[in-house]
Coordinates of all heavy atoms in Angstrom, one line a residue:
F10 N 18.2 150.2 37.6 CA 16.9 150.4 37.0 C 16.5 149.3 36.0 O 15.3 149.0 35.9 CB 16.9 151.8 36.4 CG 17.2 152.9 37.4 CD1 18.4 153.6 37.4 CD2 16.3 153.1 38.5 CE1 18.7 154.5 38.3 CE2 16.6 154.1 39.4 CZ 17.8 154.8 39.4
T11 N 17.5 148.8 35.3 CA 17.2 147.7 34.4 C 16.6 146.5 35.1 O 15.7 145.9 34.6 CB 18.4 147.4 33.5 OG1 18.9 148.5 32.9 CG2 18.1 146.3 32.5
A12 N 17.2 146.2 36.2 CA 16.7 145.0 37.0 C 15.2 145.2 37.4 O 14.4 144.3 37.3 CB 17.6 144.8 38.2
V13 N 14.9 146.4 37.8 CA 13.5 146.7 38.3 C 12.6 146.7 37.1 O 11.5 146.1 37.1 CB 13.4 148.1 39.0 CG1 12.0 148.5 39.3 CG2 14.3 148.1 40.2
Q14 N 13.0 147.3 36.0 CA 12.1 147.4 34.8 C 11.9 146.0 34.2 O 10.9 145.7 33.6 CB 12.7 148.3 33.7 CG 12.6 149.7 34.1 CD 13.3 150.6 33.1 OE1 14.5 150.5 32.9 NE2 12.6 151.5 32.5
G15 N 12.8 145.1 34.4 CA 12.7 143.7 34.0 C 11.5 143.0 34.6 O 11.1 141.9 34.2
K16 N 11.0 143.5 35.7 CA 9.9 142.9 36.5 C 8.6 143.6 36.1 O 7.5 143.2 36.7 CB 10.2 143.0 38.0 CG 11.4 142.3 38.4 CD 11.8 142.6 39.8 CE 13.1 141.8 40.1 NZ 13.9 142.4 41.2
F17 N 8.6 144.6 35.3 CA 7.4 145.4 34.9 C 6.5 144.6 34.0 O 6.9 143.8 33.2 CB 7.7 146.7 34.2 CG 8.3 147.8 35.1 CD1 8.6 149.0 34.6 CD2 8.4 147.6 36.5 CE1 9.1 150.0 35.4 CE2 8.8 148.6 37.3 CZ 9.2 149.8 36.8
D18 N 5.2 144.8 34.2 CA 4.2 144.3 33.2 C 4.2 145.2 32.0 O 4.8 146.2 32.0 CB 2.8 144.1 33.8 CG 2.1 145.4 34.1 OD1 2.5 146.5 33.7 OD2 1.0 145.3 34.8
P19 N 3.6 144.8 30.9 CA 3.6 145.5 29.6 C 3.1 147.0 29.8 O 3.7 147.9 29.2 CB 2.7 144.8 28.7 CG 2.8 143.4 29.2 CD 2.9 143.5 30.7
A20 N 2.1 147.2 30.6 CA 1.6 148.6 30.8 C 2.7 149.5 31.5 O 2.8 150.7 31.2 CB 0.3 148.6 31.6
M21 N 3.4 148.9 32.5 CA 4.4 149.7 33.1 C 5.6 149.9 32.2 O 6.2 151.0 32.2 CB 4.9 148.9 34.4 CG 3.9 149.1 35.6 SD 3.8 150.8 36.2 CE 5.4 151.0 37.0
I22 N 5.9 149.0 31.4 CA 7.0 149.2 30.4 C 6.6 150.3 29.5 O 7.5 151.2 29.2 CB 7.3 147.9 29.6 CG1 7.9 146.8 30.5 CG2 8.2 148.2 28.4 CD1 8.0 145.4 29.9
K23 N 5.4 150.4 29.1 CA 4.9 151.5 28.2 C 5.0 152.8 28.9 O 5.4 153.8 28.4 CB 3.5 151.2 27.7 CG 3.0 152.2 26.8 CD 1.6 151.8 26.3 CE 1.1 152.9 25.3 NZ -0.3 152.5 24.9
A24 N 4.6 152.8 30.2 CA 4.7 154.1 31.0 C 6.1 154.6 31.1 O 6.3 155.8 31.2 CB 4.1 153.8 32.4
T25 N 7.1 153.7 31.2 CA 8.5 154.2 31.3 C 9.0 154.9 30.0 O 10.0 155.5 30.1 CB 9.4 153.1 31.8 OG1 9.4 152.1 30.8 CG2 9.1 152.6 33.1
R26 N 8.3 154.7 28.9 CA 8.6 155.4 27.7 C 8.3 156.9 27.9 O 9.0 157.8 27.3 CB 7.9 154.9 26.5 CG 8.3 153.5 26.2 CD 7.7 153.0 24.9 NE 7.9 151.6 24.8 CZ 6.9 150.7 24.5 NH1 5.7 151.1 24.3 NH2 7.2 149.4 24.5
T27 N 7.3 157.3 28.7 CA 6.9 158.6 29.0 C 7.9 159.3 29.9 O 8.4 160.4 29.7 CB 5.5 158.7 29.5 OG1 4.6 158.1 28.6 CG2 5.1 160.1 29.7
L28 N 8.2 158.6 31.0 CA 9.2 159.0 32.0 C 10.0 157.8 32.5 O 9.5 157.0 33.2 CB 8.4 159.6 33.2 CG 9.3 160.2 34.3 CD1 10.2 161.3 33.9 CD2 8.5 160.6 35.5
P29 N 11.2 157.8 32.0 CA 12.1 156.7 32.4 C 12.2 156.5 34.0 O 12.1 157.5 34.7 CB 13.5 157.0 31.8 CG 13.1 158.0 30.7 CD 11.9 158.7 31.2
L30 N 12.3 155.3 34.4 CA 12.3 155.0 35.8 C 13.4 155.8 36.5 O 13.2 156.3 37.6 CB 12.5 153.5 36.0 CG 12.5 153.0 37.5 CD1 11.2 153.4 38.2 CD2 12.7 151.5 37.5
Q31 N 14.6 155.9 35.9 CA 15.7 156.6 36.6 C 15.3 158.1 36.9 O 15.5 158.6 37.9 CB 16.9 156.6 35.7 CG 18.1 157.4 36.3 CD 19.4 157.2 35.5 OE1 19.4 156.6 34.5 NE2 20.4 157.9 36.0
K32 N 14.6 158.7 35.9 CA 14.1 160.1 36.1 C 13.0 160.2 37.2 O 13.0 161.1 38.0 CB 13.6 160.7 34.8 CG 14.7 161.1 33.9 CD 14.1 161.8 32.7 CE 15.3 162.3 31.8 NZ 14.8 163.1 30.7
A33 N 12.2 159.2 37.2 CA 11.1 159.1 38.3 C 11.7 159.0 39.7 O 11.3 159.6 40.6 CB 10.1 158.0 38.0
W34 N 12.7 158.1 39.8 CA 13.4 157.9 41.1 C 14.1 159.2 41.5 O 14.1 159.6 42.7 CB 14.3 156.7 41.0 CG 15.1 156.4 42.3 CD1 16.4 156.5 42.5 CD2 14.5 156.0 43.6 NE1 16.7 156.2 43.8 CE2 15.6 155.9 44.5 CE3 13.2 155.7 44.0 CZ2 15.3 155.5 45.8 CZ3 13.0 155.3 45.3 CH2 14.1 155.2 46.2

């Protein structure tokens, strides 16, 4: 998930604060 998040734009990074990518997956 860290590798995927490293490709996010700032808005997506902010969105993952609400629901982390691992939980979304």
Side-chain angles (χ1 to χ4, degrees):
F10 303 109
T11 303
V13 175
Q14 287 174 300
K16 299 171 184 155
F17 284 179
D18 70 9
M21 282 294 289
I22 292 168
K23 184 177 178 182
T25 60
R26 292 184 194 133
T27 305
L28 180 63
L30 183 58
Q31 181 176 359
K32 285 188 178 187
W34 180 247

